[in-house]
């Protein structure tokens, strides 16, 4: 049983009077409930003898931060608690977007809220909107402030108006908390540069190369091409500072408890803007230790749980998403393990599924996906995934090498095949992506590109080939069909709903040219959107309508609520991926053909897994009964069926 369940129990005992006094009583109860956990976590990271005073500072801080939360948000927190695991609902359908690239600024976004309603979106991930350095800033992931809105997006008032409007329309919001690093222009970094020893201690700073060199022996490189190494020399300080990402992103030193206490306040300043879900950015990197890769360390988990336990006392309605793009088994740990199960992050990116889907497209087989997904332990019952095919980042090929080997493939050669398939090195591949951060030292590389271009639409349109265009559209819909049905919150990347192609204009922009992730960060194409109804046969219209239909069906069937009610089948046909979602007596089966030719399934096998084949069994996507030929169910190239018995 996680702590959230205890808080839910405590509010359920009281009548629904949520005035300030009652709310404060709930706060006191929450603090009492989490206090010993907070204490154990804090002293597991910070020596008790040395830091006992800091512990009391933290407790005062929690109280102060609660006092700063508005009454409306305090009330909403309690409503959210009473609503249980609202984030597992089948009603949740997300979209991720850059506010400026979507519709210029915050008020532009506010005007477009009806667009989301039309498509069925009720959850928005807004990319960073707070102050950042001019010039290169990693799309806002170099943070100058955690709560001041960057003027190019608008004002804080406009942002708060947006969050209120979204709340009124039943739209949930997610923002990033860039928890691992600040920009080199952040107030602490500025003070550090000016020679202030206290703030130099907020980062990992060193006068000589001695310790940096020791760290470099085991730290991997995140951006080996554009930002090699993990330390940057700062002339003003005359010191080396740890910069695992870009040279202008300084890693915070959480070995110093003051950093944690101050970052908790920064977290709350973000949450108080009216945010429902906080995306903990790059959280695998939070704790650094010599002799290790400094990722996924037990101390990082303790720290995240400490954030979680404090946030839960201050604002129990706000939940956390883990952005841990790490090995499959490691991702699960961000839901909390053992004593901490359910007390870390409620949501995590399903980066494993995402990478496996792209592998299945390139190999035209679902076998690796089947093996990997069935052999990884189930997530805890209160947790859920964000399922996605594309986001603003690259696609990392994060597979378990043992699983690759068990397919009879050599892991290194297989990686090379995938990079070649997606990055224009195989003449027969329709994919049009770019190679990101290729590291010749170890053959590692990642892939960038929009979903539509990676799935062949760009090539097909250039060749004006009707067949390949149809295949590309079918692939786009099939991939989205999986993220909409496999369990968790589907997150559609803005532009993918109309099949937006790669945007090569980043090559002309000095601030973006070194980072080809910008190829998949296009401007939202409102011109195309305005014509959707007038061009029924165009790819954007077919994709948009197809997605809208799928979203509607998802929301109409509570079986799609995530209660760990997923069963994946070992299918006799390796090209077809088959799973079932269950609620009581009701089942829906999802079948997806990853091959470019028609594939078949035998009626006997269908019956053995419970799919009936009479007239009352229908494909929800078309509302038609299944059509068997010679006792076999054919699936056309990249066809997907959502099958419901009677
Ligand atoms: C996350 C973001 C990515 C950013 C990095 C550093 O991985 O998704 O865009 O570059 O963190 O903040």
């Amino acid at each position: 049983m996680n702590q959230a369940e205890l808080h839910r129990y405590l509010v359920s005992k009281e009548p629904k009077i949520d005035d300030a006094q009652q709310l404060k009583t709930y706060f006191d109860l929450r603090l009492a409930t989490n206090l010993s956990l907070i204490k154990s976590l804090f002293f597991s990271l910070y020596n008790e003898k040395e830091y006992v005073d800091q512990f009391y500072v933290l407790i005062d801080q929690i109280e102060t931060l609660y006092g700063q939360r508005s009454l409306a948000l305090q009330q909403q927190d309690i409503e959210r608690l009473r609503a249980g695991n609202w984030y597992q609902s089948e009603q949740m359908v997300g979209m991720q977007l850059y506010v400026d690239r979507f519709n210029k600024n915050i008020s532009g976004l506010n005007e477009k809220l009806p667009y989301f309603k039309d498509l069925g979106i009720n959850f928005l991930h807004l990319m960073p909107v707070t102050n950042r350095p001019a010039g290169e800033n990693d799309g806002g992931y170099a943070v100058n402030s955690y709560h001041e809105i960057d003027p190019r997006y608008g004002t804080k008032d406009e942002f708060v108006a947006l969050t209120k409007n979204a709340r009124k329309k039943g739209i949930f919001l997610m923002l990033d908390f860039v928890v691992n690093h600040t920009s080199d222009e952040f107030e602490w970094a500025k003070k550090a540069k000016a020679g202030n020893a206290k703030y130099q201690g907020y980062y990992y700073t060193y006068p000589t190369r001695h310790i940096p060199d020791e760290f470099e022996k085991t730290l991997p490189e995140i951006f080996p091409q554009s930002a090699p190494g993990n330390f940057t020399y700062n002339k003003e300080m005359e010191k080396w500072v740890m910069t695992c990402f870009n040279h202008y992103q300084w890693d915070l030193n959480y070995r110093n408890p003051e950093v944690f206490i101050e970052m908790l306040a920064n977290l709350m300043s973000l949450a108080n803007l009216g945010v429902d879900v906080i995306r903990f950015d790059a959280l695998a990197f939070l704790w650094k230790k010599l002799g290790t890769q400094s990722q996924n360390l037990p101390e990082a988990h303790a720290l995240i749980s400490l954030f979680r336990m404090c946030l839960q006392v201050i604002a129990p309605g706000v939940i956390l998403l883990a952005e841990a793009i790490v090995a499959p088994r490691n991702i699960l740990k961000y839901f909390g393990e053992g004593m901490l199960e359910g007390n870390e992050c409620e949501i995590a990116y399903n980066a494993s599924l995402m990478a496996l889907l792209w592998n299945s497209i390139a190999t035209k087989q679902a076998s690796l996906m089947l093996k990997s997904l069935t052999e990884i332990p189930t997530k805890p019952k209160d947790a859920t995934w964000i399922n996605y095919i594309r986001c603003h980042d690259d696609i990392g090929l994060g597979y378990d090498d043992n699983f690759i080997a068990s397919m009879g493939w050599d892991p290194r050669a297989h990686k090379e095949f995938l990079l070649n398939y997606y990055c224009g090195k195989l003449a027969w591949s329709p994919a049009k992506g770019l190679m990101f951060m290729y590291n010749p030292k170890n053959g590692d590389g990642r892939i960038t590109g929009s979903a539509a271009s990676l799935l062949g639409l760009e090539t097909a349109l250039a060749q004006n080939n009707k067949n390949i265009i149809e295949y590309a559209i079918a692939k786009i819909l099939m991939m989205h069909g999986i993220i909409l049905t496999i369990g968790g919150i589907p997150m559609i990347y803005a532009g993918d709903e109309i099949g937006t192609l790669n945007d090569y204009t980043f090559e002309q922009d000095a601030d973006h040219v070194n980072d080809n992730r910008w190829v998949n960060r296009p401007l939202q194409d409102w011109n195309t959107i305005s014509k959707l109804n007038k061009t029924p046969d165009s790819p954007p219209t077919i994709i948009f309508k197809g997605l809208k239909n799928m979203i509607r069906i998802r929301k109409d069937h509570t079986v799609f609520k995530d209660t760990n009610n997923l069963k994946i089948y070992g299918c006799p046909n390796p090209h077809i991926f088959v799973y079932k979602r269950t609620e009581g007596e009701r089942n829906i089966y999802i079948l997806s053909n990853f091959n470019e030719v028609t594939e078949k399934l035998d009626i006997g096998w269908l019956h053995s897994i419970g799919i009936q084949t009479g007239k009352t069994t229908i494909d929800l996507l078309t509302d038609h009964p299944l059509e068997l030929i010679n006792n076999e169910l054919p699936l056309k190239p990249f066809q997907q069926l959502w099958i419901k018995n009677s």
Side-chain angles (χ1 to χ4, degrees):
M1 185 188 287
N2 65 9
Q3 294 297 108
E5 205 158 325
L6 295 182
H7 299 304
R8 209 170 293 143
Y9 168 72
L10 291 171
V11 294
S12 74
K13 288 179 44 165
E14 295 294 331
K16 290 192 177 184
I17 313 164
D18 294 343
D19 61 9
Q21 208 185 341
Q22 180 67 44
L23 289 164
K24 177 67 170 57
T25 309
Y26 290 147
F27 165 81
D28 291 336
L29 278 172
R30 288 197 300 276
L31 182 58
T33 308
N34 280 16
L35 194 56
S36 359
L37 251 177
I38 292 175
K39 188 197 81 176
S40 327
L41 288 164
F42 187 86
F43 290 126
S44 77
L45 293 168
Y46 308 114
N47 183 289
E48 186 162 351
K49 285 203 186 88
E50 211 176 324
Y51 292 118
V52 70
D53 290 350
Q54 294 293 336
F55 176 70
Y56 289 111
V57 173
L58 172 63
I59 304 306
D60 287 349
Q61 170 82 303
I62 290 175
E63 186 122 26
T64 309
L65 293 173
Y66 172 74
Q68 288 167 0
R69 193 153 169 86
S70 73
L71 190 67
L73 289 176
Q74 288 177 358
Q75 280 163 339
Q76 178 177 290
D77 286 335
I78 301 300
E79 274 164 36
R80 288 283 153 80
L81 260 189
R82 289 192 171 124
N85 292 346
W86 51 271
Y87 47 89
Q88 294 178 319
S89 162
E90 74 288 348
Q91 298 301 314
M92 299 294 290
V93 179
M95 180 169 273
Q96 174 189 3
L97 57 93
Y98 281 93
V99 172
D100 53 338
R101 302 185 82 76
F102 189 73
N103 194 29
K104 299 188 191 80
N105 52 29
I106 293 165
S107 61
L109 173 63
N110 212 346
E111 281 165 27
K112 293 292 183 191
L113 294 190
Y115 178 69
F116 303 116
K117 186 154 193 301
D118 179 39
L119 186 56
I121 304 291
N122 70 336
F123 176 46
L124 295 180
H125 172 203
L126 307 183
M127 303 295 286
V129 289
T130 52
N131 276 340
R132 78 283 310 272
E136 277 190 85
N137 54 45
D138 194 13
Y141 285 95
V143 173
N144 281 4
S145 159
Y146 283 96
H147 56 98
E148 293 299 334
I149 304 291
D150 192 295
R152 84 181 78 176
Y153 294 101
T155 62
K156 198 176 222 166
D157 286 349
E158 281 168 335
F159 192 80
V160 173
L162 168 74
T163 63
K164 281 197 183 143
N165 196 10
R167 265 205 300 286
K168 225 171 32 206
K169 293 195 155 58
I171 296 179
F172 296 89
L173 284 184
M174 174 160 85
L175 283 194
D176 281 272
F177 182 49
V178 186
V179 58
N180 177 65
H181 43 260
T182 72
S183 80
D184 59 354
E185 292 181 7
F186 193 76
E187 52 169 322
W188 302 339
K190 280 192 192 151
K191 288 180 185 159
K193 283 193 256 184
N196 185 320
K198 169 176 166 173
Y199 289 100
Q200 290 183 359
Y202 274 37
Y203 300 95
Y204 292 89
T205 54
Y206 303 99
T208 69
R209 279 291 312 182
H210 178 65
I211 296 178
D213 284 344
E214 285 302 306
F215 265 117
E216 290 292 11
K217 286 181 187 162
T218 49
L219 283 182
E221 291 173 305
I222 312 297
F223 298 136
Q225 283 178 339
S226 56
N230 290 283
F231 290 86
T232 302
Y233 187 70
N234 183 271
K235 281 196 204 127
E236 290 162 78
M237 282 194 300
E238 298 182 333
K239 282 189 174 165
W240 293 90
V241 57
M242 186 183 271
T243 52
C244 290
F245 288 83
N246 289 297
H247 64 85
Y248 50 83
Q249 289 164 308
W250 290 18
D251 287 62
L252 287 162
N253 176 12
Y254 282 99
R255 286 170 173 273
N256 178 346
E258 283 176 36
V259 172
F260 169 73
I261 294 169
E262 292 218 42
M263 284 301 280
L264 184 63
N266 285 328
L267 169 63
M268 281 317 300
S269 65
L270 195 73
N272 285 343
L273 291 173
V275 180
D276 306 287
V277 184
I278 302 271
R279 177 184 182 272
F280 254 46
D281 179 66
L283 81 179
F285 296 79
L286 286 186
W287 199 268
K288 315 296 195 298
K289 199 188 300 183
L290 279 172
T292 73
Q293 294 207 332
S294 297
Q295 282 187 42
N296 308 310
L297 292 178
E299 293 88 342
H301 286 285
L303 186 69
I304 298 158
S305 192
L306 182 58
F307 268 118
R308 163 74 292 181
M309 290 300 95
C310 295
L311 175 67
Q312 194 168 63
V313 173
I314 307 165
V318 181
I319 60 170
L320 300 182
L321 162 70
E323 194 249 347
I325 312 303
V326 297
R329 285 173 201 281
N330 282 334
I331 297 184
L332 284 173
K333 298 185 180 161
Y334 290 88
F335 294 127
E337 283 188 308
M339 288 287 289
L340 295 181
E341 185 176 306
N343 295 326
E344 230 176 292
C345 297
E346 286 81 355
I347 317 179
Y349 277 112
N350 201 345
S352 317
L353 174 70
M354 181 276 298
L356 289 161
L357 283 169
W358 290 103
N359 179 74
S360 307
I361 289 286
T363 59
K364 305 184 187 119
Q365 292 193 14
S367 347
L368 180 68
M369 183 151 64
L370 169 68
K371 180 158 185 71
S372 311
L373 296 181
T374 44
E375 295 208 4
I376 292 171
T378 320
K379 60 179 170 50
K381 72 172 185 24
D382 294 300
T384 200
W385 297 113
I386 279 202
N387 292 313
Y388 64 115
I389 61 170
R390 287 302 288 120
C391 68
H392 67 295
D393 280 330
D394 47 288
I395 300 173
L397 305 175
Y399 312 108
D400 187 322
D401 281 353
N402 293 325
F403 292 158
I404 300 241
S406 71
M407 298 282 115
W409 302 331
D410 169 62
R412 186 158 177 162
H414 188 66
K415 190 172 277 180
E416 198 177 316
F417 158 71
L418 291 175
L419 292 172
N420 289 342
Y421 176 91
Y422 283 112
C423 305
K425 299 247 175 68
L426 295 178
W428 55 268
S429 164
K432 247 184 167 322
L434 300 178
M435 181 86 87
F436 183 65
M437 298 294 154
Y438 183 66
N439 190 345
K441 284 184 244 164
N442 54 14
D444 268 352
R446 283 118 75 186
I447 299 159
T448 55
S450 77
S453 290
L454 291 170
L455 292 170
L457 188 59
E458 189 173 329
T459 305
L461 290 172
Q463 293 173 357
N464 200 8
N465 182 326
K466 205 167 159 275
N467 251 346
I468 323 184
I469 294 177
E470 268 177 27
Y471 284 3
I473 294 175
K475 281 189 258 184
I476 294 170
L477 290 174
M478 180 180 79
M479 294 278 268
H480 281 98
I482 291 178
I483 61 165
L484 278 154
T485 54
I486 200 161
I489 306 175
M491 181 65 80
I492 299 166
Y493 186 55
D496 286 351
E497 78 282 17
I498 50 164
T500 306
L501 305 180
N502 283 345
D503 174 5
Y504 297 101
T505 58
F506 77 95
E507 289 165 349
Q508 275 84 55
D509 184 330
D511 294 335
H512 297 165
V513 67
N514 290 327
D515 185 346
N516 71 28
R517 287 177 298 175
W518 286 95
V519 80
N520 46 259
R521 298 171 182 177
L523 291 176
Q524 187 75 355
D525 184 355
W526 292 107
N527 183 31
T528 295
I529 293 168
S530 70
K531 289 193 289 216
L532 286 178
N533 285 332
K534 292 170 219 140
T535 51
D537 300 328
S538 73
T541 307
I542 302 172
I543 297 167
F544 187 87
K545 291 218 163 126
L547 265 180
K548 191 169 158 174
N549 186 37
M550 288 176 169
I551 293 172
R552 180 187 56 76
I553 301 171
R554 171 185 160 99
K555 292 189 169 183
D556 279 351
H557 293 85
T558 48
V559 68
F560 290 124
K561 174 184 159 122
D562 183 16
T563 53
N564 278 351
N565 51 344
L566 166 73
K567 172 152 180 56
I568 300 176
Y569 288 100
C571 179
N573 184 325
H575 304 284
I576 304 180
F577 185 50
V578 179
Y579 55 87
K580 172 177 81 171
R581 301 293 306 282
T582 303
E583 188 190 38
E585 299 286 290
R586 281 187 296 269
N587 298 310
I588 293 180
Y589 297 81
I590 311 292
L591 278 53
S592 312
N593 176 13
F594 279 86
N595 208 355
E596 60 196 358
V597 294
T598 297
E599 293 290 341
K600 296 173 191 141
L601 287 171
D602 177 70
I603 188 171
W605 187 75
L606 295 174
H607 288 167
S608 77
I609 64 164
I611 298 181
Q612 293 154 18
T613 45
K615 287 224 162 52
T616 52
T617 295
I618 54 158
D619 167 28
L620 291 170
L621 293 176
T622 53
D623 228 357
H624 289 320
L626 297 187
E627 279 177 41
L628 270 71
I629 303 175
N630 298 333
N631 281 337
E632 285 182 322
L633 175 67
L635 274 95
K636 287 192 251 142
F638 312 113
Q639 188 183 4
Q640 185 169 67
L641 297 170
W642 295 20
I643 300 175
K644 190 175 161 202
N645 292 328
S646 68

